Amino acid sequence: MIYRYYLMIALLAFSFSLAGQNLVKGRVNNFTYDTLSFIPNATVTNTTSQSSVITDQYGYYSIRAKENDQIIFSSTGFISDTVKVETQFFTSGYDAALIEEAAFLAG
């Protein structure tokens, strides 16, 4: 019986720690040379909460965030993109478009 009590308190504490956070979903894309393709294994970091996720093999991600949190999208060989979370991200998602560093330097 006492274990149920402790479990209930632990679950409540966990749910309060997530209060106000929602899921932002989207895709990280390579937008180089006017073509759009996904970037697998890109890093998506919520700098406000210090949490990170890696995109799947098709570039999709989902990360917990609150409005006005900052999210950085990055991948080796690409210029990073930083955005501030807006309300519509929770309903329509956010697709990031990264540009290859080599293409940027080539002009």
Side-chain angles (χ1 to χ4, degrees):
M1 180 67 178
I2 191 113
Y3 294 112
R4 285 187 198 170
Y5 178 73
Y6 286 125
L7 179 61
M8 189 170 69
I9 290 177
L11 288 173
L12 281 172
F14 179 72
S15 65
F16 283 126
S17 70
L18 294 178
Q21 289 193 340
N22 293 306
L23 218 50
V24 176
K25 297 179 181 183
R27 195 174 203 185
V28 179
N29 299 293
N30 174 357
F31 187 67
T32 304
Y33 306 115
D34 295 328
T35 61
L36 197 62
S37 59
F38 55 84
I39 303 176
N41 302 314
T43 304
V44 181
T45 304
N46 181 335
T47 58
T48 308
S49 68
Q50 298 300 315
S51 62
S52 293
V53 296
I54 302 295
T55 60
D56 69 10
Q57 63 185 358
Y58 302 107
Y60 289 106
Y61 73 92
S62 62
I63 191 166
R64 291 209 170 272
K66 295 183 288 190
E67 190 174 357
N68 296 321
D69 282 1
Q70 289 215 335
I71 296 180
I72 298 176
F73 300 89
S74 60
S75 186
T76 303
F78 290 86
I79 298 170
S80 298
D81 182 24
T82 303
V83 298
K84 186 167 88 171
V85 175
E86 299 175 13
T87 305
Q88 66 265 24
F89 289 9
F90 303 123
T91 54
S92 58
Y94 181 80
D95 290 347
L98 305 183
I99 299 173
E100 290 179 18
E101 289 176 347
F104 183 76
L105 294 174

